[in-house]
Amino acid sequence: MYAPDDDVIRKRRQAVIAAAVVLVVLIGGFFVLNRDGGKSSTEKASDLVAAGLTAYTQGDTASARKAFQDAIADDPQNPFAHYNLGLIMQVVDKNPAGAEAEYRKAIAIKPDFASPLFNLGIIRANAGAKDEAIDLYRRAIEADSQFASPHLNLGFLLLEKDPNSLEAQTEFEKAKILDPSLASRIPTTTTPTTSKSRSATTTTAKKR
């Protein structure tokens, strides 16, 4: 399984708050006040997502989950709410089916959202749908050319299909250039026996 390690989880919690800033940038200027002067459902949802991200960084998963669920209730078209709820389902609940549903909703709303494309690729690869996972990793790379992890995971899947794949080696090199910390995960031989243990794991909802 592509299980996230403790270091990845710790780094995710340290970085995830950046998504709140991204959220405001992406939907800023589109808020419409109700006639009574209150916040629109879109604005309420963005506030809930920001609160959920804060709770998540503090380790309060229950509050984060509720905030994301409430955000979806207020604005079902908020991709960040769906993505973050899916992340909790994948990482905390170990519920890939639930996570997959939320990631697909996020992608339907925002097709160029690299993080759910990548995380959905992990789920599909673990389910044995390797060709679909390859396509999802390619889409994540297309959505964000600076996102290193999809290059790494794509390389492993290509290596599984063909131990002599030159494309796999190219993807490994791209991953290493974009993120030198991934170099230790790249195999020194063409034998793909350790691909699952070395593949990159889930990402956070920050803009890539």
Side-chain angles (χ1 to χ4, degrees):
M1 296 290 291
Y2 295 80
D5 52 40
D6 291 339
D7 183 58
V8 170
I9 293 173
R10 182 168 56 254
K11 289 180 180 178
R12 183 186 63 249
R13 287 179 175 173
Q14 293 171 347
V16 71
I17 193 62
V21 177
V22 174
L23 183 66
V24 173
V25 171
L26 288 176
I27 65 177
F30 292 96
F31 296 156
V32 178
L33 292 180
N34 296 331
R35 277 179 283 181
D36 62 1
K39 292 182 179 180
S40 69
S41 59
T42 300
E43 190 171 10
K44 290 177 182 177
S46 71
D47 288 346
L48 285 165
V49 170
L53 292 169
T54 299
Y56 193 71
T57 60
Q58 296 172 348
D60 187 353
T61 305
S63 294
R65 185 199 310 276
K66 186 177 187 307
F68 299 141
Q69 291 172 333
D70 289 347
I72 292 170
D74 276 332
D75 180 11
Q77 295 302 304
N78 188 308
F80 295 94
H82 287 291
Y83 170 73
N84 282 290
L85 180 58
L87 189 65
I88 289 178
M89 289 180 173
Q90 183 179 8
V91 176
V92 179
D93 300 343
K94 309 301 181 185
N95 177 9
E100 177 175 342
E102 294 302 324
Y103 290 153
R104 290 193 185 279
K105 290 175 184 177
I107 294 165
I109 298 165
K110 183 174 171 55
D112 63 345
F113 196 170
S115 291
L117 286 166
F118 172 67
N119 286 1
L120 182 56
I122 293 173
I123 291 173
R124 299 308 296 153
N126 284 338
K130 302 296 179 67
D131 288 340
E132 183 183 359
I134 286 173
D135 178 65
L136 287 162
Y137 292 146
R138 291 192 193 281
R139 288 174 62 188
I141 292 168
E142 183 178 355
D144 184 355
S145 61
Q146 301 303 303
F147 191 177
S149 295
H151 287 287
L152 181 69
N153 285 15
L154 176 58
F156 279 122
L157 290 185
L158 293 173
L159 199 63
E160 288 183 13
K161 292 172 72 74
D162 177 8
N164 298 311
S165 172
L166 294 178
E167 185 181 3
Q169 298 304 324
T170 299
E171 294 301 324
F172 288 145
E173 285 303 310
K174 290 178 180 177
K176 184 167 61 175
I177 291 170
L178 291 170
D179 185 355
S181 70
L182 296 178
S184 62
R185 300 189 182 193
I186 296 173
T188 56
T189 68
T190 57
T191 303
T193 54
T194 59
S195 62
K196 289 188 176 181
S197 63
R198 295 189 178 187
S199 294
T201 54
T202 52
T203 64
T204 60
K206 61 181 180 180
K207 184 175 177 63
R208 294 188 174 280

